[in-house]
Amino acid sequence: MTKNYLEIPEELYNKLSDYAENDQLSIRLENQQILLENPKINHTNKQNLALHYFIVPSLASGIIALLIFLSTNHPQIAFTGSRHLSVASLSIILSTLFGFLGFIWTYLRKSCDLSKSKFKIFRETLTLSVAYTSISFAVQIIFWYIIGKTFSGVTFDPFTAGFLVLVFVGIIFYFLISAALSVTLPNLILLLFTTFIGGILVSMATNNQKDWWQHNFSFLGTGEATQHWQFNITLIFSALILLTITDFLFAEFSKSSLYNYKFKIIRIFYILIAFLIAFVGIFPAQSWTMPIHNNSAFGLVAVVLIMIIFLKWLVPTISKEFLALSWTALIALILSAVAFMGIHYLSLTVFEIIAFAIAFTWLVMFINSLRGIIQEGNEWQVKLLQK
């Protein structure tokens, strides 16, 4: 009888043994990739996802919605609208509440690294749960706005309306618990972009009538701006997400033989940048907070410039392409500063947007470059044998 073997290096064997359950691993093909997993953990995740984390909260939301609709004594419940409690309003409320709690529960049970401190686990869980729930809330607002325009005046009896709430809450809840079960570095980077860009665009749109661009970019966070809390909260949560990304990235890096004191310096830089971004939101550009706000904003750009200047020393294995891109970003920052402060070609608003956009984009791209270095260090050559 022919036996098939997979010859692997000893280092890889030692790593796989940490994931094995009684020396057993499951292997599957997914998206043209070969995945090795602990079969028990994989099976448990699927069962919990289908039963405990999805069905029970969805049924509970349907029952709650039905009881509320029956208590209103209205024979017909509106699909959308605000005249009475509607399918739309109750779906948004219940999915946000259950989704938030469900994300926290799922992330703590399935996605937390127990080697982390309790404070880091608490910070990550709260940050990610609020961020993902906020995104789902925004998506629902847009969805129900479109539905309201499409199905204007549609009503249902309380039982049908309660069932529809169950379905819509179930969909959002499934999205949130799936996100909690699959928190990865690429997903966190996408979350950072979504949170930051989405929040900034909303702040710009809500202040369009006040011509915020005639003042400066930081005007969006001052008391004179409409709903200035959106701009400040966006910066604070972006900083928290960046801290979470830093934890994920360097937790993986610390297991690599490439990890040394230079990467510890990079980690400190990222933590400092996250605090500076948060300070820009915590201390608006007004009254006594102006000096802190300005110093934080300039400090952010200064740290990025320092990182670019010493990039080759910090990461000797960095690709030539990214190094060239980094120096291009450095030149662009210097030229924009000269155009603003030297020849007064750029306005303060345009300069702030350009500088912040370049710095933010470079930071995210640098994270991706570091991820690439980690992945290169986690590659091994294997052989297929047949005897």
Side-chain angles (χ1 to χ4, degrees):
M1 179 179 178
T2 302
K3 292 186 177 181
N4 302 316
Y5 298 90
L6 188 65
E7 186 179 84
I8 63 176
E10 184 176 355
E11 184 183 1
L12 176 58
Y13 174 82
N14 293 333
K15 287 185 176 292
L16 291 178
S17 62
D18 296 334
Y19 296 95
E21 179 74 23
N22 297 324
D23 295 329
Q24 296 291 321
L25 288 170
S26 66
I27 187 169
R28 61 189 174 93
L29 298 175
E30 181 178 309
N31 298 327
Q32 299 182 341
Q33 293 180 331
I34 299 175
L35 303 178
L36 286 170
E37 299 174 322
N38 183 320
K40 184 177 180 180
I41 292 177
N42 189 39
H43 180 67
T44 303
N45 280 348
K46 289 182 177 179
Q47 279 198 335
N48 288 340
L49 179 64
L51 298 175
H52 303 293
Y53 295 169
F54 174 63
I55 294 178
V56 173
S58 300
L59 288 174
S61 64
I63 294 172
I64 292 173
L66 176 61
L67 293 176
I68 292 175
F69 290 146
L70 290 174
S71 67
T72 61
N73 295 321
H74 290 287
Q76 293 293 111
I77 305 298
F79 196 27
T80 61
S82 58
R83 186 178 59 176
H84 306 298
L85 274 177
S86 63
V87 173
S89 60
L90 214 53
S91 295
I92 293 173
I93 294 171
L94 291 176
S95 63
T96 301
L97 176 61
F98 279 111
F100 177 74
L101 297 176
F103 190 101
I104 292 177
W105 176 260
T106 307
Y107 187 77
L108 287 175
R109 289 287 300 272
K110 298 300 176 184
S111 300
C112 274
D113 183 355
L114 297 180
S115 65
K116 296 178 182 178
S117 67
K118 291 183 178 180
F119 173 75
K120 282 187 177 180
I121 292 176
F122 172 78
R123 189 196 70 213
E124 287 181 10
T125 304
L126 185 61
T127 299
L128 295 178
S129 58
V130 171
Y132 274 102
T133 306
S134 299
I135 291 174
S136 69
F137 179 81
V139 170
Q140 288 182 86
I141 294 295
I142 297 172
F143 171 79
W144 284 113
Y145 176 80
I146 296 173
I147 292 297
K149 295 295 183 181
T150 307
F151 298 98
S152 178
V154 174
T155 61
F156 301 98
D157 65 88
F159 290 94
T160 303
F163 176 75
L164 289 174
V165 170
L166 183 153
V167 171
F168 288 117
V169 171
I171 292 172
I172 298 299
F173 199 83
Y174 182 83
F175 161 76
L176 287 172
I177 60 176
S178 297
L181 287 170
S182 58
V183 174
T184 60
L185 195 55
N187 291 342
L188 289 176
I189 293 173
L190 179 61
L191 177 65
L192 177 60
F193 260 108
T194 304
T195 302
F196 182 79
I197 296 176
I200 295 299
L201 289 177
V202 170
S203 299
M204 290 180 177
T206 54
N207 286 279
N208 185 47
Q209 293 181 346
K210 290 198 172 186
D211 294 333
W212 62 270
W213 46 270
Q214 293 185 5
H215 301 272
N216 52 57
F217 189 59
S218 299
F219 173 83
L220 297 172
T222 64
E224 298 178 29
T226 303
Q227 296 181 336
H228 59 277
W229 62 269
Q230 293 177 346
F231 180 82
N232 297 325
I233 289 295
T234 294
L235 293 176
I236 294 170
F237 264 98
S238 295
L240 289 172
I241 296 172
L242 184 59
L243 278 177
T244 303
I245 290 174
T246 302
D247 290 340
F248 269 74
L249 176 65
F250 289 95
E252 185 67 24
F253 230 135
S254 62
K255 302 174 185 176
S256 171
S257 59
L258 300 173
Y259 192 67
N260 55 36
Y261 75 96
K262 293 181 181 180
F263 289 105
K264 292 180 181 179
I265 294 174
I266 296 174
R267 183 173 192 168
I268 293 172
F269 276 138
Y270 266 100
I271 294 174
L272 177 60
I273 287 170
F275 275 103
L276 290 173
I277 293 174
F279 285 166
V280 173
I282 295 173
F283 302 100
Q286 56 188 23
S287 64
W288 66 270
T289 61
M290 180 70 80
I292 303 176
H293 177 91
N294 289 340
N295 290 329
S296 299
F298 284 117
L300 169 63
V301 177
V303 173
V304 172
L305 290 175
I306 293 172
M307 291 177 69
I308 294 175
I309 292 172
F310 292 96
L311 180 60
K312 187 62 178 177
W313 177 78
L314 289 169
V315 191
T317 58
I318 199 75
S319 66
K320 293 181 180 179
E321 292 78 11
F322 185 76
L323 191 60
L325 179 66
S326 299
W327 281 102
T328 302
L330 176 66
I331 294 172
L333 284 171
I334 294 174
L335 289 177
S336 60
V338 171
F340 166 62
M341 293 183 288
I343 61 176
H344 305 291
Y345 175 74
L346 296 178
S347 66
L348 176 57
T349 302
V350 175
F351 169 68
E352 287 180 326
I353 292 176
I354 291 175
F356 211 77
I358 293 175
F360 182 77
T361 303
W362 184 86
L363 286 170
V364 174
M365 294 181 70
F366 188 34
I367 291 173
N368 277 322
S369 295
L370 293 175
R371 276 188 63 235
I373 295 174
I374 296 174
Q375 291 171 351
E376 289 176 2
N378 289 334
E379 289 183 3
W380 295 271
Q381 298 297 319
V382 300
K383 284 184 179 181
L384 293 174
L385 303 176
Q386 193 175 70
K387 294 182 180 180

